[in-house]
Every structure is written in structure tokens, then in C-alpha cells.
Amino acid sequence: MSSDSHVACGQVEDNKVKVQNLQHVFNPRSVAVVGASAEPGKIGYQILNNIVQNGFKGKLYPINKKAREILGVPCFSSLLDVPGDIDFVVIAVPAPLVEGVLQECVKKNTKGTVIITSGFSEIGKTKEEQALKDIADKNNIALLGPNTFGFVYTPAHLNASFGPQNLAAGKIAFVSQSGALAISLMGWTMMEKIGLAAVVSLGNKADIGEKELIEYFNDDPNTSVILIYMEGIKDGRKFMTTQVKKPVVVLKSGSSSRGAQAAASHTGSLAGSDTIYTAAFNQLGMMRARNFTQAFCACSVLCMPMPKGNDAVIITNGGGIGVSATDECEHSGIKLLEDPVWLEEKFRCTMPEFGSTKNPIDVTGGGGCKSYREAVKIALNEARIHAVIVLYCETAVTDPVEVAKAIVEEYNTVKRNKPIVVTMVGGERSRTAIQILNENQIPAMTEVREAVSGLKTLYHWQEISSRPKEKAAVVLPPAQALELIERVRKEGRTYLLEHESREVLEACGVPMPKWGMAVTAEDAVREAETKKMYPVAMKIASVDIIHKSDVGGVILNIKNADEMRAAFARMMENVAKNAPKAKIMGVNLCQMVDGIQCIVGMNKDPQFGPAVMFGMGGIFVEVLKDVTFRVVPFAEQDAVRMIGEIKARKLLDGYRGQGAHKESIVKTLMAVQRIAPYVKEVDINPLFTNKDGSFAADARILL
Ligand code: ACO
């Protein structure tokens, strides 16, 4: 397929060089801090102090007009006085001075900057911010901010922020749109001993945004997982070009349905901006978390090795917590190893006589640290077991700290060979035990649900990362469809009539039942007979009538020529009475079809552009709102996944003889995205699907 047969969905800026230059931001040989101050209360002091205290090994140049040295580091009065090039510059001077400093960076061959300074687009000074972006673009400078608290990158011992001084080192890169949240979570992760490779505050995202950072961390050997906190995306189409090579967990706040209220069609009313964000994340293979504890748990588990199969075991000392973990596993689709004889043979030796070897392996409240160690050792060493969930309820006879240490030792002995997650419920001692586990990169938490959902995320990522490379490309619609749309536009209409919508969609590949148009009753009889259409639905065709049923303009189940003539006469009478001024073009005829009622639609999101919807149709649309979306362009495999995403998927798989014709649903979704860039909204509701195929029983296109 030649590239010109694809629909262009807008030009997207390619920031490849900037992504490469982020190397100079996170691993610079030399750093200058412009605005470094000797006054401890000032931001410029805090940043320099953080860099010094964290033990950055490269060259460090504080820039200050008056001071000769700050914190024992010799100062320069200007960037231009520093000998040689400077890889990376932190800018913390008042807003009016920032552009001048950036110009000096250009002279020093700087490849990366972070602009801490506030007072740009966030207060409406977009021109001033654009001027910074222009300089950065012209000189390939990777620019973070402005209006950011900076970043920390633990592998380089570089804390170029005015946030907390210390961070536990680890493999999670945390990118945050909110500076305040990032600062507070730095403290929280430190307390929980969750290790981070990086914390980056995005600020105003004048240049470097989520896409560039994800693509940088994709290739960073010190990062295993990327966590994004997001309030909104500046450019959805650019975001959709993000390459995802490592697990990305997204915590997105700010769901809004305001946009949805304004939309006219079913598709529009179901497409709140948050729904489209979910679609975009699914499409890119990113995983969404609902709150920050869930997000960090998922990230910690995603740093674990991949499971080599689906069989998990639960090791517990409490029956109740074991049952609750079993429930969570069932809800999450995590399979527990079922082989009572084998489990009895392997685990009986780990517990008192009254313990249970039926997965959950219950070493009982009397089972001490030794029981835990033995059971964990067996679970880690047996190849038939692919994932281990350890639960502990605090008792006076078993010290949780000892249990934690035993787990760490056994896990290190087997060289971290499979995923293990731990939940410890109890007081102070359990909290210490959790910290010991986290410190040793064994995900530990206080909630069963979080441990299991973390493991589920790991399985989810395994599925995402094993998907074959999928190419999303949209083929141009045929000329006849575009000509028809153009003709309607020229007439000054904002919508296509039913037969016009059918013609456009059919030309793009949407499967239709037999259909036709008729001006007289005899035309209608001829049309139905030649196309072998009976039983038939008849609908009035008029530019002046939108709600056809309200004026008696819909008659269903017409079975033969006599009924057709009678129906035609009755419809004309109804319309003459109820809409006397309407200009009638004739009637639409359509073969009656049945099956499961679905809906396929398309509307335009302000951030992401055209998005296609699939879900349960007919009367279920409003009641169940069981729909899913994809942003155009999407791959055929994505259309297949859409069918599997709705809640009523079991119905579509086949229930009591009814089932969906999935190939033709996929065909419909792929056909609708062809027309998406040229129209405003599409509604195919209902799309009937049965074992023979899918059929658009009604079709509507808005321009
Ligand atoms: N070259 C070298 N040094 C300079 C220059 C220059 N061109 N211009 C000024 N300086 C020095 C100043 O003399 C001063 O040093 P001193 O303390 O020795 O006198 C130092 O740089 C700082 O300049 P000040 O004018 O004192 O500016 P101040 O520190 O008050 O404010 C700042 C600068 C911090 C950048 C401020 O303008 C600002 O934007 N603050 C908000 C930052 C922020 O909140 N960012 C968002 C974070 S996200 C979050 O918080 C959640």
C-alpha cells in the first residue's frame, strides 16, 4: 500500500533529536545553575544544595553575579565566563531574564535545560513561552518546563530540583504534570521505601512532554517502568505517536463530561473526554491506574520478572485473607494452580497437621517464620508455579520482620526468577516488614486487592508486549463517497439523508442489508421484488424531517406488494397531515434484519480528533452505555480488541444460539474510520449482528 493512499490525520512534530538530547539532561558531564544563590531560603540555593548533597560527579558551575563561591563551589558571574561547553543548564532567574540566559546556553553549546521559573503560559504569557520554545527548536535544546520544580535522576546522583533532597533509588521513572503531587509523592515513596530512577516535573510542557520522556526512558537501561501522572494532553495526535517499549502506567485525573453534553449524536453523548483518554491509553498499550497507591503498586510489580505461565499460588497464615485473595484472583482472571495431590505432596511438610495444602497454602496462625520460609522456598523453586502471592496477618507468635527477611533471602537465592507479591496486615512491625521488602525490590503492601491487581497488571503487560507489531493505516475512501459528501456540503446541508449515508458507508465497506429508494408506490414494489427484499422497513426521505417516527414516517415489517402499496399510501397521508410543508423525496426501503443490536459511531474529540465507537446498540445505548472507543487511525487488531472490551462481550461470543459475526463488525469499524477525517459524526444504530453477518439497519452522517 503506497503511503499516499493513507489518510493524513494532521502533521505531527517529530522530536527525535530532542529525545536523544535528553541524555544530556539526565546524564550530563557538566551542569550550570543560573540563579544559584547563597541565601538558604531561595529556590536557587535549594537546587544547588540538592545537586551538591546528592553527590553529582560531573562538573558543577553555580552562576551568580555577586558571589565568588556558594556551598564551597566556585561561582561564575555568567554562563559565558565558564570555560568550554556546558551540557545542561538549570535556569532559576526571574521570568524577564530567562530568554537572555537561554541565548547564552546556545553560545555554550548546551543540549538540555530545565527552566524552573514561573510566569509564562500558565499566566497567559504564551508569546514569551513560545519565544523560548523557538530558541530550543532552532538549536535542538531539550527544554523542560518552564514552571517546573525540576527533576531527580538517581542513577546519575543528580537532584536538579527544589524538592526533597533524598529519594530511594529504583527502577521506576515518575513523570508528573503536577509539581506539587510529585514533590509530595517523593516523600511518600521515601517513607514506603519504593525505589525510583527518576522524578520529573513537566511544568508547562513548552517543549518536552510525556511522549519525549516515555521515548527517552524506553531506552534508558536504569528504568524498567514509566509512571505518568497526567491532567490533560496538549496535543492528542502527537501523543498517539508515542512509542511504548516498556510498561507505562498512567494516572489521569480530571474526567469531564462537559464536551459530551454538547454533542448531538449517540456517539457524541457517550464520548466524554475521559473515555477517549482511556481509548488512547488502551490503543498505545499503556495501563491506567485509578489512584496513586494502585499506580505505585502496579509499577513495583512491573519491575518483577515476567511469569513463565499462568499458575499462581497463595501462601497465607490466615484463612479469611486467603479467601479474599482467592476472590480477587478470580475477579482479575489470575489462575490459581489446581492439583491437590501435587500440592499436598510438595507443601505438607511446611505446616502443622491442621494446615491446608489446597491453594491457598495455609500454614495457619501457628505456622511460624520457618513455615513461611519453607513454603516460599518451594513455591520459588518449583517450575510448575509461575507467580507467588504471600499473605501475612500479624500474630504474636510470628514476627513479620523475620518473615520479610526470609522472603528476601529465598528470593535472592533463586535470583529473582519469578514474580512474587506480598501483603502484610498488622501494626508497626508489619509496616517495618513491608519497608524491608520494598527496599529489596519485592513489592509489598497492606491491601490484598492491590497486590493482586499489581500482578494482574504484570500479566496484562505480558499480553501487550507479546502483541505482533500492528500498523494503523487508514485507506482513503472511494471518490464516489467523497463526491457525494461534497455535493451535500455545496447544498448547504449539515447532514446526509439516510440513503446518502448508506451510499457513502457502503462504498467504504460497511455491510448493509438490501436497501433502496422509491418515489412512488409502484417503484417501491418493483425495488423490493427485484432485490428480493421482503420483509421491508419503509422510512420517509425528506431534508425537512429529522424525527421520522414522530410524523408517522416509519412503517416496519412490510411483507408483500399489497402491504407495500398500502404502507406507501398511509405514510404519505401521515406526512401530509403531520409535516405539511416538508419536501418529500420519496421513501427509503430496507430489508428487515435481526440479531444482536450493536452501535458503531464516530465523533471528533477536541484533543485526539476522530474516534470510532463500538458497543451495545438500540435501546441499550442510553441505559447501559456499554461502549468502547479507538482514536483514528487504529489497526485491525484494535478493532478486534474493541469487541472484547465491552461488558456484554459474552453475548457477542454466543449465548443461547445468538452470537455476533465478529469479522463483519471489524469490517464495519475499519470502514467507518476511512470516512472519519471527512465528516463530523457517524451513527450506525442499530448494527444488527447474527451468525450470517452484520447489517447497518440505520445510518446517519453529520457534516
Ligand atoms: N545570572 C546570574 N545570576 C543571576 C542573574 C543572571 N542573569 N539574574 C539574577 N541572578 C541571581 C540573583 O542575583 C539572585 O542571587 P542572590 O540571591 O545572590 O541575589 C538569584 O539569581 C535569584 O534571583 P532573584 O532575583 O533573587 O530571584 P528569586 O530567587 O526571588 O526568584 C525564581 C527566581 C525562583 C526563578 C522565581 O522567579 C520563580 O519563578 N519562582 C517560582 C518557581 C516555581 O514555583 N516553579 C514551579 C514549580 S512546580 C511546584 O512548585 C509545585
Side-chain angles (χ1 to χ4, degrees):
M1 201 183 296
S2 71
S3 59
D4 58 0
S5 66
H6 298 164
V7 175
C9 288
Q11 280 297 310
V12 169
E13 181 187 19
D14 190 7
N15 253 356
K16 267 201 190 108
V17 183
K18 297 279 184 76
V19 172
Q20 280 164 11
N21 282 345
L22 281 170
Q23 171 70 17
H24 301 284
V25 172
F26 294 108
N27 287 293
R29 287 164 303 176
S30 48
V31 177
V33 181
V34 185
S37 169
E39 272 183 52
K42 284 199 171 179
I43 285 180
Y45 172 87
Q46 289 302 336
I47 295 170
L48 188 69
N49 191 38
N50 275 348
I51 296 177
V52 171
Q53 299 301 330
N54 266 253
F56 173 64
K57 300 279 184 304
K59 291 178 187 151
L60 180 58
Y61 307 111
I63 311 293
N64 183 290
K65 295 275 178 221
K66 301 163 288 188
R68 301 188 61 185
E69 70 165 50
I70 305 173
L71 292 162
V73 189
C75 288
F76 292 81
S77 63
S78 147
L79 279 174
L80 301 180
D81 294 342
V82 175
D85 291 348
I86 308 168
D87 280 353
F88 166 58
V89 176
V90 183
I91 303 178
V93 291
L97 305 176
V98 171
E99 191 180 330
V101 174
L102 195 57
Q103 295 286 14
E104 290 181 3
C105 291
V106 173
K107 292 190 181 133
K108 297 308 286 178
N109 219 2
T110 297
K111 290 290 166 248
T113 63
V114 57
I115 301 176
I116 304 290
T117 313
S118 303
F120 290 92
S121 66
E122 83 281 6
I123 56 158
K125 297 209 168 177
T126 42
K127 260 202 227 141
E128 287 79 351
E129 190 165 301
Q130 187 58 43
L132 304 179
K133 160 94 170 130
D134 291 343
I135 297 170
D137 283 351
K138 204 166 151 214
N139 299 283
N140 282 326
I141 296 174
L143 186 157
L144 262 169
N147 188 34
T148 151
F149 87 83
F151 70 88
V152 188
Y153 184 63
T154 55
H157 302 280
L158 179 57
N159 183 341
S161 83
F162 63 94
Q165 210 169 78
N166 296 315
L167 204 58
K171 293 276 189 181
I172 302 168
F174 174 32
V175 174
S176 179
Q177 189 171 352
S178 156
L181 187 78
I183 290 179
S184 49
L185 287 180
M186 277 168 81
W188 179 80
T189 53
M190 195 60 197
M191 193 178 73
E192 297 291 322
K193 307 275 186 226
I194 296 172
L196 299 174
V199 176
V200 185
S201 154
L202 283 170
N204 293 357
K205 300 194 262 188
D207 180 30
I208 298 298
E210 292 86 353
K211 172 184 157 73
E212 290 78 16
L213 285 165
I214 291 171
E215 289 178 354
Y216 175 76
F217 288 122
N218 270 341
D219 295 322
D220 174 27
N222 299 308
T223 299
S224 299
V225 185
I226 303 156
L227 170 58
I228 307 281
Y229 169 76
M230 168 190 295
E231 276 150 17
I233 285 283
K234 264 187 161 177
D235 180 349
R237 299 222 66 86
K238 178 175 152 190
F239 184 68
M240 291 311 292
T241 65
T242 307
Q243 301 254 350
V244 174
K245 294 193 202 159
K246 284 182 183 164
V248 178
V249 175
V250 190
L251 186 56
K252 154 94 179 54
S253 64
S255 52
S256 148
S257 56
R258 252 187 298 167
Q261 285 163 11
S265 69
H266 284 307
T267 311
S269 65
L270 291 164
S273 67
D274 200 57
T275 325
I276 303 294
Y277 272 99
T278 303
F281 301 147
N282 279 339
Q283 208 165 325
L284 289 168
M286 297 179 181
M287 296 164 288
R288 192 164 180 178
R290 293 283 151 201
N291 54 56
F292 73 84
T293 30
Q294 192 195 45
F296 275 100
C297 287
C299 288
S300 305
V301 183
L302 284 160
C303 291
M304 297 252 102
M306 290 280 197
K308 294 194 179 77
N310 294 327
D311 286 328
V313 294
I314 299 172
I315 297 167
T316 181
N317 66 346
I321 195 172
V323 172
S324 126
T326 309
D327 289 348
E328 289 296 335
C329 284
E330 195 173 308
H331 296 151
S332 310
I334 291 177
K335 189 172 160 282
L336 295 179
L337 176 61
E338 263 185 87
D339 187 343
V341 178
W342 186 83
L343 288 167
E344 170 72 14
E345 192 187 301
K346 295 289 170 189
F347 286 96
R348 176 50 60 194
C349 59
T350 67
M351 61 185 70
E353 213 174 304
F354 44 88
S356 169
T357 60
K358 288 183 197 135
N359 197 2
I361 311 293
D362 187 351
V363 298
T364 77
C369 181
K370 192 162 167 279
S371 289
Y372 267 104
R373 182 188 284 277
E374 282 307 307
V376 167
K377 188 175 179 174
I378 292 165
L380 290 174
N381 279 287
E382 287 296 338
R384 275 193 71 179
I385 296 169
H386 307 120
V388 187
I389 301 166
V390 182
L391 313 173
Y392 167 84
C393 290
E394 199 167 311
T395 66
V397 291
T398 312
D399 181 354
V401 172
E402 290 309 310
V403 172
K405 285 181 181 164
I407 296 172
V408 171
E409 278 167 29
E410 294 305 326
Y411 197 45
N412 288 339
T413 307
V414 293
K415 300 197 167 52
R416 308 176 67 83
N417 63 349
K418 62 182 77 168
I420 181 167
V421 293
V422 183
T423 293
M424 291 200 150
V425 185
E428 203 87 342
R429 290 185 307 156
S430 292
R431 180 143 208 96
T432 310
I434 286 177
Q435 288 169 340
I436 291 171
L437 289 159
N438 282 334
E439 223 168 4
N440 286 280
Q441 282 87 50
I442 295 177
M445 39 222 103
T446 52
E447 291 278 345
V448 170
R449 172 177 284 200
E450 279 160 8
V452 175
S453 107
L455 194 57
K456 170 73 186 163
T457 315
L458 186 66
Y459 275 108
H460 188 186
W461 171 245
Q462 190 170 44
E463 183 273 314
I464 292 171
S465 54
S466 64
R467 286 175 191 166
K469 219 148 182 48
E470 299 165 357
K471 194 162 167 41
V474 182
V475 184
L476 277 173
Q480 124 200 35
L482 294 178
E483 280 160 21
L484 204 160
I485 290 170
E486 207 35 50
R487 207 164 61 230
V488 173
R489 240 187 255 283
K490 278 196 182 131
E491 280 177 27
R493 272 193 280 143
T494 55
Y495 63 93
L496 273 67
L497 290 167
E498 183 175 331
H499 67 281
E500 293 165 335
S501 299
R502 281 189 189 281
E503 204 176 316
V504 167
L505 292 170
E506 192 167 40
C508 289
V510 171
M512 292 285 166
K514 290 174 185 167
W515 67 279
M517 264 286 281
V519 177
T520 65
E522 287 318 308
D523 273 353
V525 170
R526 206 173 316 114
E527 188 76 2
E529 277 172 5
T530 23
K531 291 187 178 164
K532 295 193 170 47
M533 227 187 250
Y534 290 121
V536 169
M538 181 190 284
K539 285 182 248 173
I540 197 74
S542 163
V543 280
D544 303 313
I545 300 170
I546 294 175
H547 301 292
K548 301 176 195 106
S549 334
D550 294 358
V551 296
V554 180
I555 296 174
L556 303 177
N557 217 13
I558 302 163
K559 291 191 221 51
N560 52 45
D562 288 346
E563 285 187 21
M564 182 72 93
R565 288 187 190 97
F568 190 92
R570 197 161 78 241
M571 186 170 289
M572 291 306 145
E573 208 175 292
N574 288 343
V575 173
K577 192 167 73 194
N578 298 324
K581 292 198 181 128
K583 191 173 153 229
I584 308 301
M585 304 173 77
V587 291
N588 286 300
L589 302 172
C590 172
Q591 186 179 31
M592 296 287 294
V593 278
D594 62 9
I596 304 168
Q597 294 190 44
C598 299
I599 181 169
V600 171
M602 187 286 297
N603 83 325
K604 294 210 168 142
D605 180 81
Q607 247 78 39
F608 292 95
V612 170
M613 177 183 85
F614 171 73
M616 291 309 284
I619 55 161
F620 300 115
V621 176
E622 305 297 347
V623 184
L624 300 180
K625 295 188 169 45
D626 186 10
V627 292
T628 185
F629 285 81
R630 282 297 181 279
V631 176
V632 175
F634 53 86
E636 195 169 307
Q637 292 91 329
D638 256 305
V640 173
R641 276 194 284 275
M642 287 172 84
I643 301 172
E645 274 170 22
I646 64 164
K647 295 185 200 92
R649 57 187 168 270
K650 277 199 181 145
L651 197 64
L652 301 178
D653 287 343
Y655 181 74
R656 294 205 170 168
Q658 274 208 323
H661 193 270
K662 293 186 184 173
E663 294 81 358
S664 53
I665 297 177
V666 169
K667 195 174 166 221
T668 308
L669 294 166
M670 298 306 282
V672 168
Q673 73 164 331
R674 291 179 71 183
I675 203 71
Y678 305 93
V679 301
K680 187 171 170 234
E681 290 183 25
V682 176
D683 249 356
I684 300 174
N685 184 29
L687 174 85
F688 280 104
T689 181
N690 59 41
K691 63 180 179 15
D692 300 320
S694 300
F695 308 93
D698 204 350
R700 203 152 81 102
I701 293 178
L702 301 185
L703 298 181

